[in-house]
Amino acid sequence: MKGLVSAVGVMLAAVLMSGCSSDYVMATKDGRMIMTDGKPAIDKETGLVQYTDEQGHQMQINGDEVSTIIER
């Protein structure tokens, strides 16, 4: 019985943790739609928007090129 309770607890924790990361869509002023894995971060000093693309690569785009950022 303890093993079953532990297994259910681990599965519940995994489901809850997987729901913490939301995906976002960034629309650029030239009409591109950029899908991100997680929330993009805006660097106030440089003006760059840092994000992880759907393939897991760390990317940056000039914040002046981004028109909107929307959570999916």
Side-chain angles (χ1 to χ4, degrees), residues 11-55:
M11 290 188 327
L12 181 61
V15 168
L16 290 174
M17 290 172 70
S18 67
C20 293
S21 176
S22 297
D23 295 331
Y24 287 76
V25 178
M26 290 192 302
T28 63
K29 293 180 180 174
D30 64 359
R32 291 183 294 146
M33 301 298 269
I34 301 171
M35 310 299 178
T36 70
D37 183 25
K39 186 174 183 178
I42 301 169
D43 186 340
K44 301 236 187 248
E45 289 182 20
T46 63
L48 294 173
V49 178
Q50 302 172 352
Y51 64 95
T52 304
D53 68 9
E54 292 182 307
Q55 289 79 34

